[in-house]
Amino acid sequence: MLFRSLMASGAPAAVLTTAPPTEALSNFLASQGFARHPGLPGMAVEIERLASTKLPAGYSFSRVVGMDRANEWGDAFARGYELPLGVGRAFAAAIGDNDSADAPIQYFGILKDGRLVCTSIVHLRDGVAGIYGVATVPEERKKGLGAHATAEPLRLAHRFGYRVGVLQASEAGHPIYGRLGFVDVSEVFLYVRMPS
């Protein structure tokens, strides 16, 4: 049912699997317009062993709560991944008013001069903290923002008993995560459909 909804939406879509896809699955996804992309390393870290990070002067890290900031978060996310703004706003649609420190999904951002320049999401479940959506707008890269937006949500989760952080690394992010202490533990297989 979810897959049919995804296909009917006409929006860019991705399918990820943690096991090598069968030939039947690969053929089916190809018939639906999905193209195979290089796999993503699945990485993990013991949160207490994360390398330290800090922000340059003039930047601040904060949790993003409330729909009034959702579009801004989505726009920064889209610019960081070089995606259409509508895709970023779709990712931001789940930002709500739940500001509890142990909410299962939390959005974060790094601000410079009051505007979001870097994003991340943490998903807390079953004792594991998953990091997603780490994106830095092009003009703010190579300043350590992505590393901080990855590590700081994990440090916050650690206060609530989460011991392990996981993520799927892009090619650009992989060395950054390695320096933070993440190690490769698996491969995530990726298929993407970009409607014309």
Side-chain angles (χ1 to χ4, degrees):
M1 181 66 149
L2 178 62
F3 189 75
R4 277 188 246 133
S5 298
L6 178 66
M7 295 306 300
S9 75
V15 173
L16 296 106
T17 68
T18 55
T22 64
E23 185 177 345
L25 177 61
S26 293
N27 292 339
F28 172 74
L29 291 171
S31 76
Q32 300 298 309
F34 285 84
R36 175 91 185 258
H37 283 255
L40 303 170
M43 302 182 81
V45 68
E46 290 182 50
I47 296 171
E48 65 186 15
R49 294 178 182 234
L50 277 167
S52 64
T53 60
K54 73 179 205 177
L55 291 173
Y59 294 82
S60 63
F61 175 83
S62 72
R63 177 127 173 241
V64 178
V65 178
M67 290 309 296
D68 57 322
R69 302 284 321 246
N71 284 344
E72 183 184 4
W73 188 96
D75 291 354
F77 171 86
R79 287 190 58 223
Y81 278 112
E82 300 175 10
L83 296 169
L85 291 181
V87 174
R89 290 183 178 188
F91 271 86
I95 294 175
D97 294 325
N98 183 353
D99 63 355
S100 67
D102 62 347
I105 298 177
Q106 300 175 30
Y107 289 73
F108 296 92
I110 294 176
L111 294 97
K112 178 185 181 187
D113 300 326
R115 70 180 183 93
L116 283 167
V117 297
C118 184
T119 64
S120 65
I121 304 167
V122 68
H123 183 207
L124 306 174
R125 184 170 175 118
D126 297 330
V128 176
I131 290 289
Y132 306 96
V134 179
T136 305
V137 299
E139 64 273 18
E140 296 291 341
R141 293 180 181 155
K142 306 222 181 281
K143 298 179 181 178
L145 305 183
H148 194 77
T150 299
E152 195 60 24
L154 293 177
R155 290 186 190 104
L156 295 172
H158 191 257
R159 296 178 191 164
F160 290 93
Y162 289 85
R163 296 180 40 233
V164 175
V166 297
L167 54 76
Q168 295 87 42
S170 67
E171 185 177 336
H174 189 262
I176 296 166
Y177 302 134
R179 287 191 295 273
L180 284 172
F182 282 84
V183 295
D184 292 352
V185 294
S186 66
E187 182 177 4
V188 178
F189 300 88
L190 174 66
Y191 291 81
V192 176
R193 182 189 68 156
M194 294 296 284
S196 50

